[in-house]
Amino acid sequence: MMTENESGQAGEASSTPLVPDDVLDELMGRVDAEGAELLGPDGLLSQVTKAVLERALDEELTDHLGYVRHDPAGRGSGNSRNGKTPKVVLTEAGAVDLDVPRDRNGEFEPRIVPKGATRLKGFNDRIISLYARGMTVRDVQSHLEEIYGVEVSPDLISKVTDAVFDELEAWRNRPLDAMYPIVYIDALVIKIRDGVVANRPAYLAVGVDLDGRKHVLGIWIGDSEGEGSKFWLSVFSELKNRGVDDVLIVVCDGLNGLPNAIEAVWPQAVIQTCVVHLLRGSFRYASYDNRKKLAASMRPIYTAPSVEAAQEAMDAFETEWGSKYPAIVKLWQNSWDVFVPFLAFPPEIRQVVYTTNMIESINYQLRKVTKNRGHFPNERAALKLLYLAVRNITTERGGTAGTGTLGWKACLNALAIYFPNRINIT
C-alpha cells in the first residue's frame, strides 16, 4: 500500500508540467516579440512538433545503432549514420517538414514516423473527429486548410474515415450481456440515395445493464418506416445470438410488428409503449390553445394507481374530449394494451421506464450530425457516420462503461421483486 508521503510524491510527480514554464515563457515571448504565428505551416506549434519528432527519430536511431553520435564506440560497429531524408508528414499541428535520419545499412525502421507514413495517427483521429461531428468531406477539407494550412484531398478524407469500417463491424458483432433489465427501441429518419433519394429509418436499441449503465446495443437501417415482424425478428434474433438471453421490459413507440417479434425471442418480456411519445402523438391532433387542458385531462390516465382507475380516467377523458378530438381517443385505445403494463409497476420502475427521453437525446445528437448531409450515397455511408457519432456521444457521456440511470438502485430492487428469479446479481 502506498504511504501518505509516497502518495504525495506521486501526486507532485504527476502534476509536474511536461514543458517547463520557463521554456513556454521563452516560446510565447517569441510570439509576442516577433509576431510569430501559433498555427499554420510556419507556426510555432509546427516548429515545436518538428523539433520534438526529429529529436525522437534521432534517439530511435541511436538506440538502433547502440551508440550516440560521435562516440568512438561506433567505429568498426558495421553500421553508422548516413545523413537524412526530407519528408513531409501531416500532424495535428499541420504539415511538418522532417529530416528523417538514415543508417548506412538501411536497416533503421522508425517507429514514431514509420517508413511510408505520411500522416501521424493524431492527424487521422482529427479527421475522424471532425467527420463524426457532422462535417461533410468538403467541410473537413476546408477546415484543415483554414486552420492548419494543410491541403487534403476528399479521397484521402474518405479513405481515413472508411478505416473505421472494421471497427464498426467489430462493434456491431461484439458480445453482449446475458441480461438487460430494460431495452429502449427508437428510430430517426435519414435520407439515403438508392436509385432515388428516399427516407429510411435508422433504428437504435439501447440497453440498461444490471449496473444501470446505458449502452447502444446496435444500429440498423430499415427499408421503410413501416417495418414488420420479419424485420424486427431478425434484429432481436441478432441480439440474442450476441448473448442477450433475457430482457425484462422493452420500451418502444408503436413500431409495426415489434410486439410479435419480441414475444418470439424473449417471450417473458413486458412490452411497454413510451408514455411521452403517446402524449406527443395526442398533441399532434390538438390545437395549441387546448394543449394545456388536454395535458391536465390525460394526466389522471398515466398516473393512475391501477388499470381500473386508468380506465375510469380514460372514460372521463373520452366524455370530455371525444366529440372534439376523436383521433386522440382512438390513439389511446389502439395503444391501450401496450400502455397498461406501465400501470402495474411500482413508482421506482415507472420513473425509469416512463419515457424514451434518454434514447431520444441520443437521436437528437444524431440528427444534428446528419442534417448537414442532405442525403447519404448509400446505407454503408450512413452507418459509418451514425457509428462515429454514437462513439462520440458515449465517450462524452461516460466512456465505455456507459452512462448511469437516475434512481437505478431503487428500480433494480423493485425489478427483482416484480420479476422474481430472473435477476441474478453475483
Side-chain angles (χ1 to χ4, degrees), residues 238-290:
E238 175 189 317
L239 292 177
K240 187 161 187 177
N241 290 336
R242 289 166 57 195
V244 185
D245 290 327
D246 194 15
V247 175
L248 303 182
I249 304 170
V250 180
V251 183
C252 55
D253 180 31
L255 296 171
N256 185 39
L258 198 148
N260 291 337
I262 294 173
E263 291 171 3
V265 178
W266 301 304
Q268 292 182 286
V270 173
I271 303 166
Q272 172 63 52
T273 193
C274 171
V275 177
V276 170
H277 272 118
L278 195 54
L279 295 173
R280 288 177 183 167
S282 300
F283 294 143
R284 290 193 187 101
Y285 295 104
S287 65
Y288 181 81
D289 293 341
N290 285 329

Short mmCIF file of all heavy atoms in Angstrom, two decimals, residues 238-290:
data_model
loop_
_atom_site.label_atom_id
_atom_site.label_comp_id
_atom_site.label_asym_id
_atom_site.label_seq_id
_atom_site.Cartn_x
_atom_site.Cartn_y
_atom_site.Cartn_z
N GLU A 238 -30.63 -11.34 -33.79
CA GLU A 238 -29.21 -10.95 -33.80
C GLU A 238 -28.74 -10.63 -32.38
O GLU A 238 -27.66 -11.07 -31.96
CB GLU A 238 -29.02 -9.74 -34.70
CG GLU A 238 -27.60 -9.18 -34.68
CD GLU A 238 -27.48 -7.86 -35.41
OE1 GLU A 238 -28.07 -7.74 -36.50
OE2 GLU A 238 -26.80 -6.97 -34.88
N LEU A 239 -29.55 -9.87 -31.63
CA LEU A 239 -29.17 -9.54 -30.26
C LEU A 239 -29.07 -10.79 -29.39
O LEU A 239 -28.15 -10.91 -28.56
CB LEU A 239 -30.17 -8.55 -29.66
CG LEU A 239 -30.20 -7.15 -30.27
CD1 LEU A 239 -31.29 -6.30 -29.64
CD2 LEU A 239 -28.85 -6.46 -30.13
N LYS A 240 -30.00 -11.70 -29.59
CA LYS A 240 -29.95 -12.94 -28.81
C LYS A 240 -28.73 -13.76 -29.18
O LYS A 240 -28.07 -14.36 -28.31
CB LYS A 240 -31.22 -13.76 -29.01
CG LYS A 240 -31.28 -14.98 -28.09
CD LYS A 240 -32.69 -15.51 -27.95
CE LYS A 240 -32.74 -16.62 -26.88
NZ LYS A 240 -34.11 -17.10 -26.67
N ASN A 241 -28.40 -13.82 -30.46
CA ASN A 241 -27.21 -14.56 -30.89
C ASN A 241 -25.93 -13.94 -30.34
O ASN A 241 -24.91 -14.62 -30.21
CB ASN A 241 -27.14 -14.60 -32.42
CG ASN A 241 -28.21 -15.49 -33.02
OD1 ASN A 241 -28.72 -16.40 -32.36
ND2 ASN A 241 -28.58 -15.23 -34.26
N ARG A 242 -25.98 -12.66 -30.02
CA ARG A 242 -24.82 -11.99 -29.43
C ARG A 242 -24.80 -12.11 -27.91
O ARG A 242 -23.94 -11.52 -27.26
CB ARG A 242 -24.80 -10.53 -29.86
CG ARG A 242 -24.45 -10.35 -31.34
CD ARG A 242 -24.76 -8.96 -31.83
NE ARG A 242 -24.08 -7.93 -31.06
CZ ARG A 242 -24.39 -6.64 -31.11
NH1 ARG A 242 -25.38 -6.23 -31.91
NH2 ARG A 242 -23.73 -5.77 -30.39
N GLY A 243 -25.76 -12.85 -27.37
CA GLY A 243 -25.70 -13.16 -25.95
C GLY A 243 -26.86 -12.73 -25.10
O GLY A 243 -26.95 -13.10 -23.93
N VAL A 244 -27.79 -11.90 -25.63
CA VAL A 244 -28.88 -11.38 -24.80
C VAL A 244 -29.96 -12.45 -24.66
O VAL A 244 -30.82 -12.61 -25.53
CB VAL A 244 -29.47 -10.09 -25.41
CG1 VAL A 244 -30.53 -9.52 -24.46
CG2 VAL A 244 -28.39 -9.07 -25.67
N ASP A 245 -29.95 -13.15 -23.56
CA ASP A 245 -30.90 -14.24 -23.33
C ASP A 245 -32.22 -13.76 -22.75
O ASP A 245 -33.25 -14.42 -22.93
CB ASP A 245 -30.30 -15.30 -22.40
CG ASP A 245 -29.18 -16.08 -23.07
OD1 ASP A 245 -29.26 -16.29 -24.29
OD2 ASP A 245 -28.22 -16.47 -22.37
N ASP A 246 -32.20 -12.65 -22.02
CA ASP A 246 -33.43 -12.22 -21.36
C ASP A 246 -33.47 -10.70 -21.26
O ASP A 246 -32.46 -10.03 -21.03
CB ASP A 246 -33.49 -12.82 -19.95
CG ASP A 246 -34.88 -12.69 -19.33
OD1 ASP A 246 -35.85 -12.40 -20.07
OD2 ASP A 246 -35.00 -12.87 -18.10
N VAL A 247 -34.68 -10.16 -21.47
CA VAL A 247 -34.96 -8.74 -21.27
C VAL A 247 -36.25 -8.66 -20.48
O VAL A 247 -37.23 -9.35 -20.80
CB VAL A 247 -35.12 -8.01 -22.63
CG1 VAL A 247 -35.54 -6.56 -22.40
CG2 VAL A 247 -33.82 -8.04 -23.42
N LEU A 248 -36.26 -7.83 -19.45
CA LEU A 248 -37.46 -7.72 -18.62
C LEU A 248 -38.51 -6.82 -19.26
O LEU A 248 -39.67 -7.18 -19.37
CB LEU A 248 -37.09 -7.18 -17.23
CG LEU A 248 -36.05 -7.97 -16.42
CD1 LEU A 248 -35.84 -7.33 -15.06
CD2 LEU A 248 -36.49 -9.42 -16.28
N ILE A 249 -38.09 -5.63 -19.70
CA ILE A 249 -39.02 -4.65 -20.25
C ILE A 249 -38.44 -4.07 -21.53
O ILE A 249 -37.28 -3.66 -21.56
CB ILE A 249 -39.28 -3.49 -19.24
CG1 ILE A 249 -39.80 -4.04 -17.91
CG2 ILE A 249 -40.27 -2.49 -19.83
CD1 ILE A 249 -39.84 -2.99 -16.80
N VAL A 250 -39.24 -4.04 -22.59
CA VAL A 250 -38.86 -3.37 -23.83
C VAL A 250 -39.73 -2.13 -23.98
O VAL A 250 -40.96 -2.25 -24.06
CB VAL A 250 -39.02 -4.29 -25.06
CG1 VAL A 250 -38.62 -3.54 -26.32
CG2 VAL A 250 -38.18 -5.54 -24.90
N VAL A 251 -39.10 -0.96 -23.99
CA VAL A 251 -39.83 0.30 -24.12
C VAL A 251 -39.69 0.77 -25.56
O VAL A 251 -38.58 0.90 -26.08
CB VAL A 251 -39.27 1.37 -23.16
CG1 VAL A 251 -40.09 2.65 -23.25
CG2 VAL A 251 -39.25 0.85 -21.73
N CYS A 252 -40.83 1.02 -26.21
CA CYS A 252 -40.79 1.38 -27.63
C CYS A 252 -41.92 2.35 -27.93
O CYS A 252 -42.63 2.79 -27.03
CB CYS A 252 -40.90 0.14 -28.51
SG CYS A 252 -42.35 -0.88 -28.14
N ASP A 253 -42.08 2.64 -29.21
CA ASP A 253 -43.08 3.63 -29.61
C ASP A 253 -43.92 3.12 -30.77
O ASP A 253 -43.80 3.62 -31.88
CB ASP A 253 -42.39 4.95 -29.99
CG ASP A 253 -43.39 6.01 -30.42
OD1 ASP A 253 -44.52 6.00 -29.91
OD2 ASP A 253 -43.05 6.83 -31.28
N GLY A 254 -44.70 2.11 -30.54
CA GLY A 254 -45.68 1.64 -31.51
C GLY A 254 -45.12 1.27 -32.86
O GLY A 254 -45.77 1.50 -33.87
N LEU A 255 -43.91 0.71 -32.90
CA LEU A 255 -43.32 0.31 -34.18
C LEU A 255 -44.01 -0.95 -34.69
O LEU A 255 -44.18 -1.93 -33.95
CB LEU A 255 -41.82 0.08 -34.01
CG LEU A 255 -41.02 1.33 -33.62
CD1 LEU A 255 -39.60 0.97 -33.27
CD2 LEU A 255 -41.04 2.35 -34.75
N ASN A 256 -44.39 -0.96 -35.95
CA ASN A 256 -45.16 -2.04 -36.54
C ASN A 256 -44.43 -3.38 -36.46
O ASN A 256 -43.26 -3.48 -36.84
CB ASN A 256 -45.46 -1.70 -38.00
CG ASN A 256 -46.37 -2.71 -38.66
OD1 ASN A 256 -47.31 -3.20 -38.03
ND2 ASN A 256 -46.09 -3.03 -39.91
N GLY A 257 -45.11 -4.40 -35.97
CA GLY A 257 -44.56 -5.74 -35.94
C GLY A 257 -43.64 -6.03 -34.78
O GLY A 257 -43.20 -7.17 -34.60
N LEU A 258 -43.35 -5.03 -33.98
CA LEU A 258 -42.38 -5.21 -32.90
C LEU A 258 -42.88 -6.15 -31.79
O LEU A 258 -42.12 -7.01 -31.34
CB LEU A 258 -42.00 -3.83 -32.34
CG LEU A 258 -40.73 -3.75 -31.51
CD1 LEU A 258 -40.08 -2.40 -31.71
CD2 LEU A 258 -41.01 -3.94 -30.04
N PRO A 259 -44.11 -6.02 -31.29
CA PRO A 259 -44.56 -6.90 -30.21
C PRO A 259 -44.45 -8.39 -30.56
O PRO A 259 -43.98 -9.19 -29.73
CB PRO A 259 -46.02 -6.49 -29.98
CG PRO A 259 -46.07 -5.07 -30.43
CD PRO A 259 -45.13 -5.00 -31.61
N ASN A 260 -44.85 -8.78 -31.76
CA ASN A 260 -44.79 -10.20 -32.14
C ASN A 260 -43.36 -10.71 -32.15
O ASN A 260 -43.08 -11.84 -31.74
CB ASN A 260 -45.43 -10.40 -33.53
CG ASN A 260 -46.92 -10.18 -33.52
OD1 ASN A 260 -47.57 -10.28 -32.48
ND2 ASN A 260 -47.48 -9.85 -34.66
N ALA A 261 -42.44 -9.87 -32.64
CA ALA A 261 -41.04 -10.28 -32.70
C ALA A 261 -40.45 -10.41 -31.30
O ALA A 261 -39.67 -11.33 -31.02
CB ALA A 261 -40.24 -9.27 -33.52
N ILE A 262 -40.80 -9.50 -30.40
CA ILE A 262 -40.31 -9.57 -29.02
C ILE A 262 -40.78 -10.85 -28.36
O ILE A 262 -40.01 -11.57 -27.69
CB ILE A 262 -40.76 -8.34 -28.21
CG1 ILE A 262 -40.11 -7.07 -28.77
CG2 ILE A 262 -40.42 -8.51 -26.73
CD1 ILE A 262 -40.63 -5.79 -28.15
N GLU A 263 -42.05 -11.16 -28.53
CA GLU A 263 -42.61 -12.36 -27.91
C GLU A 263 -41.95 -13.63 -28.44
O GLU A 263 -41.80 -14.62 -27.72
CB GLU A 263 -44.12 -12.41 -28.15
CG GLU A 263 -44.88 -11.33 -27.39
CD GLU A 263 -46.34 -11.25 -27.80
OE1 GLU A 263 -46.76 -12.09 -28.63
OE2 GLU A 263 -47.06 -10.36 -27.31
N ALA A 264 -41.54 -13.60 -29.71
CA ALA A 264 -40.91 -14.78 -30.30
C ALA A 264 -39.51 -15.00 -29.75
O ALA A 264 -39.07 -16.15 -29.60
CB ALA A 264 -40.85 -14.65 -31.82
N VAL A 265 -38.79 -13.92 -29.43
CA VAL A 265 -37.39 -14.04 -29.00
C VAL A 265 -37.28 -14.01 -27.48
O VAL A 265 -36.53 -14.79 -26.89
CB VAL A 265 -36.54 -12.90 -29.62
CG1 VAL A 265 -35.09 -12.98 -29.13
CG2 VAL A 265 -36.59 -13.00 -31.14
N TRP A 266 -38.00 -13.10 -26.83
CA TRP A 266 -37.99 -13.00 -25.36
C TRP A 266 -39.43 -13.10 -24.88
O TRP A 266 -40.08 -12.08 -24.59
CB TRP A 266 -37.37 -11.68 -24.91
CG TRP A 266 -35.95 -11.50 -25.37
CD1 TRP A 266 -34.89 -12.35 -25.14
CD2 TRP A 266 -35.43 -10.42 -26.15
NE1 TRP A 266 -33.76 -11.85 -25.72
CE2 TRP A 266 -34.04 -10.66 -26.34
CE3 TRP A 266 -35.98 -9.25 -26.68
CZ2 TRP A 266 -33.23 -9.80 -27.05
CZ3 TRP A 266 -35.17 -8.39 -27.39
CH2 TRP A 266 -33.81 -8.66 -27.56
N PRO A 267 -39.98 -14.29 -24.80
CA PRO A 267 -41.41 -14.45 -24.50
C PRO A 267 -41.85 -13.90 -23.15
O PRO A 267 -43.03 -13.61 -22.97
CB PRO A 267 -41.61 -15.97 -24.57
CG PRO A 267 -40.26 -16.57 -24.42
CD PRO A 267 -39.30 -15.58 -25.01
N GLN A 268 -40.92 -13.75 -22.22
CA GLN A 268 -41.29 -13.25 -20.89
C GLN A 268 -41.17 -11.73 -20.77
O GLN A 268 -41.51 -11.17 -19.73
CB GLN A 268 -40.41 -13.90 -19.82
CG GLN A 268 -40.66 -15.40 -19.64
CD GLN A 268 -39.78 -15.97 -18.54
OE1 GLN A 268 -38.57 -16.14 -18.71
NE2 GLN A 268 -40.38 -16.24 -17.40
N ALA A 269 -40.71 -11.06 -21.81
CA ALA A 269 -40.52 -9.61 -21.75
C ALA A 269 -41.86 -8.87 -21.72
O ALA A 269 -42.82 -9.28 -22.39
CB ALA A 269 -39.68 -9.14 -22.92
N VAL A 270 -41.90 -7.79 -20.96
CA VAL A 270 -43.07 -6.91 -20.94
C VAL A 270 -42.85 -5.82 -21.98
O VAL A 270 -41.80 -5.17 -22.00
CB VAL A 270 -43.26 -6.28 -19.55
CG1 VAL A 270 -44.36 -5.23 -19.59
CG2 VAL A 270 -43.59 -7.36 -18.52
N ILE A 271 -43.82 -5.62 -22.85
CA ILE A 271 -43.72 -4.60 -23.90
C ILE A 271 -44.44 -3.35 -23.42
O ILE A 271 -45.64 -3.39 -23.11
CB ILE A 271 -44.33 -5.10 -25.21
CG1 ILE A 271 -43.63 -6.40 -25.65
CG2 ILE A 271 -44.20 -4.04 -26.30
CD1 ILE A 271 -44.37 -7.15 -26.73
N GLN A 272 -43.71 -2.25 -23.34
CA GLN A 272 -44.26 -1.01 -22.79
C GLN A 272 -44.10 0.13 -23.79
O GLN A 272 -43.00 0.40 -24.26
CB GLN A 272 -43.54 -0.66 -21.49
CG GLN A 272 -43.89 0.69 -20.93
CD GLN A 272 -45.37 0.77 -20.55
OE1 GLN A 272 -45.87 -0.09 -19.83
NE2 GLN A 272 -46.06 1.78 -21.04
N THR A 273 -45.20 0.79 -24.13
CA THR A 273 -45.09 1.95 -25.01
C THR A 273 -44.53 3.13 -24.22
O THR A 273 -44.70 3.22 -23.00
CB THR A 273 -46.45 2.32 -25.60
OG1 THR A 273 -46.25 3.25 -26.66
CG2 THR A 273 -47.37 2.95 -24.57
N CYS A 274 -43.87 4.02 -24.92
CA CYS A 274 -43.34 5.23 -24.29
C CYS A 274 -44.50 6.19 -24.04
O CYS A 274 -45.18 6.62 -24.97
CB CYS A 274 -42.30 5.88 -25.20
SG CYS A 274 -41.78 7.50 -24.65
N VAL A 275 -44.73 6.51 -22.78
CA VAL A 275 -45.86 7.37 -22.42
C VAL A 275 -45.69 8.77 -23.01
O VAL A 275 -46.65 9.38 -23.49
CB VAL A 275 -46.02 7.44 -20.89
CG1 VAL A 275 -47.14 8.40 -20.51
CG2 VAL A 275 -46.29 6.06 -20.32
N VAL A 276 -44.48 9.28 -23.00
CA VAL A 276 -44.25 10.63 -23.54
C VAL A 276 -44.54 10.66 -25.04
O VAL A 276 -45.11 11.62 -25.56
CB VAL A 276 -42.81 11.09 -23.24
CG1 VAL A 276 -42.49 12.36 -23.99
CG2 VAL A 276 -42.63 11.30 -21.75
N HIS A 277 -44.16 9.59 -25.75
CA HIS A 277 -44.50 9.53 -27.17
C HIS A 277 -46.01 9.53 -27.37
O HIS A 277 -46.54 10.13 -28.31
CB HIS A 277 -43.92 8.25 -27.79
CG HIS A 277 -42.52 8.41 -28.30
ND1 HIS A 277 -41.47 7.69 -27.81
CD2 HIS A 277 -42.02 9.22 -29.26
CE1 HIS A 277 -40.37 8.05 -28.45
NE2 HIS A 277 -40.68 8.97 -29.33
N LEU A 278 -46.71 8.83 -26.49
CA LEU A 278 -48.16 8.77 -26.57
C LEU A 278 -48.77 10.16 -26.36
O LEU A 278 -49.71 10.56 -27.06
CB LEU A 278 -48.69 7.79 -25.52
CG LEU A 278 -50.12 7.30 -25.64
CD1 LEU A 278 -50.41 6.71 -27.01
CD2 LEU A 278 -50.41 6.26 -24.54
N LEU A 279 -48.24 10.90 -25.42
CA LEU A 279 -48.74 12.26 -25.17
C LEU A 279 -48.43 13.17 -26.36
O LEU A 279 -49.29 13.95 -26.79
CB LEU A 279 -48.10 12.82 -23.90
CG LEU A 279 -48.47 12.11 -22.58
CD1 LEU A 279 -47.65 12.67 -21.43
CD2 LEU A 279 -49.95 12.25 -22.29
N ARG A 280 -47.22 13.07 -26.89
CA ARG A 280 -46.87 13.90 -28.04
C ARG A 280 -47.73 13.58 -29.25
O ARG A 280 -48.14 14.47 -29.99
CB ARG A 280 -45.40 13.71 -28.38
CG ARG A 280 -44.45 14.35 -27.38
CD ARG A 280 -43.02 14.05 -27.75
NE ARG A 280 -42.09 14.59 -26.76
CZ ARG A 280 -40.81 14.28 -26.69
NH1 ARG A 280 -40.31 13.43 -27.57
NH2 ARG A 280 -40.04 14.81 -25.78
N GLY A 281 -47.99 12.28 -29.43
CA GLY A 281 -48.87 11.88 -30.53
C GLY A 281 -50.26 12.46 -30.37
O GLY A 281 -50.90 12.84 -31.37
N SER A 282 -50.70 12.57 -29.13
CA SER A 282 -52.03 13.14 -28.87
C SER A 282 -52.07 14.62 -29.22
O SER A 282 -53.02 15.12 -29.83
CB SER A 282 -52.39 12.95 -27.40
OG SER A 282 -52.42 11.58 -27.04
N PHE A 283 -51.00 15.32 -28.85
CA PHE A 283 -50.97 16.77 -29.09
C PHE A 283 -50.92 17.13 -30.57
O PHE A 283 -51.27 18.25 -30.95
CB PHE A 283 -49.77 17.40 -28.36
CG PHE A 283 -49.88 17.33 -26.86
CD1 PHE A 283 -48.75 17.11 -26.08
CD2 PHE A 283 -51.10 17.48 -26.23
CE1 PHE A 283 -48.83 17.04 -24.71
CE2 PHE A 283 -51.20 17.41 -24.84
CZ PHE A 283 -50.06 17.19 -24.07
N ARG A 284 -50.49 16.21 -31.41
CA ARG A 284 -50.46 16.50 -32.85
C ARG A 284 -51.87 16.75 -33.40
O ARG A 284 -52.03 17.41 -34.43
CB ARG A 284 -49.81 15.33 -33.61
CG ARG A 284 -48.32 15.19 -33.36
CD ARG A 284 -47.68 14.25 -34.35
NE ARG A 284 -46.29 13.98 -34.03
CZ ARG A 284 -45.85 12.89 -33.43
NH1 ARG A 284 -46.71 11.94 -33.10
NH2 ARG A 284 -44.57 12.72 -33.17
N TYR A 285 -52.86 16.17 -32.74
CA TYR A 285 -54.24 16.32 -33.22
C TYR A 285 -54.94 17.52 -32.59
O TYR A 285 -56.09 17.80 -32.92
CB TYR A 285 -55.06 15.07 -32.88
CG TYR A 285 -54.59 13.82 -33.59
CD1 TYR A 285 -53.86 12.85 -32.92
CD2 TYR A 285 -54.89 13.61 -34.94
CE1 TYR A 285 -53.43 11.69 -33.57
CE2 TYR A 285 -54.46 12.47 -35.59
CZ TYR A 285 -53.73 11.51 -34.89
OH TYR A 285 -53.31 10.37 -35.54
N ALA A 286 -54.28 18.19 -31.66
CA ALA A 286 -54.95 19.23 -30.89
C ALA A 286 -54.48 20.62 -31.28
O ALA A 286 -53.33 20.81 -31.71
CB ALA A 286 -54.71 19.01 -29.40
N SER A 287 -55.36 21.60 -31.14
CA SER A 287 -54.96 22.99 -31.34
C SER A 287 -54.07 23.41 -30.18
O SER A 287 -54.16 22.88 -29.07
CB SER A 287 -56.19 23.90 -31.41
OG SER A 287 -56.86 23.91 -30.16
N TYR A 288 -53.21 24.39 -30.44
CA TYR A 288 -52.26 24.82 -29.41
C TYR A 288 -53.00 25.34 -28.17
O TYR A 288 -52.56 25.12 -27.04
CB TYR A 288 -51.35 25.91 -29.99
CG TYR A 288 -50.32 26.40 -29.02
CD1 TYR A 288 -49.15 25.69 -28.81
CD2 TYR A 288 -50.53 27.58 -28.30
CE1 TYR A 288 -48.20 26.12 -27.90
CE2 TYR A 288 -49.58 28.03 -27.39
CZ TYR A 288 -48.41 27.29 -27.19
OH TYR A 288 -47.49 27.73 -26.29
N ASP A 289 -54.10 26.02 -28.38
CA ASP A 289 -54.83 26.63 -27.26
C ASP A 289 -55.36 25.58 -26.28
O ASP A 289 -55.55 25.87 -25.09
CB ASP A 289 -56.01 27.47 -27.78
CG ASP A 289 -55.53 28.70 -28.54
OD1 ASP A 289 -54.35 29.07 -28.35
OD2 ASP A 289 -56.31 29.25 -29.33
N ASN A 290 -55.62 24.35 -26.77
CA ASN A 290 -56.21 23.33 -25.90
C ASN A 290 -55.19 22.37 -25.29
O ASN A 290 -55.56 21.48 -24.53
CB ASN A 290 -57.23 22.50 -26.70
CG ASN A 290 -58.52 23.27 -26.93
OD1 ASN A 290 -58.91 24.09 -26.12
ND2 ASN A 290 -59.16 23.02 -28.07
#
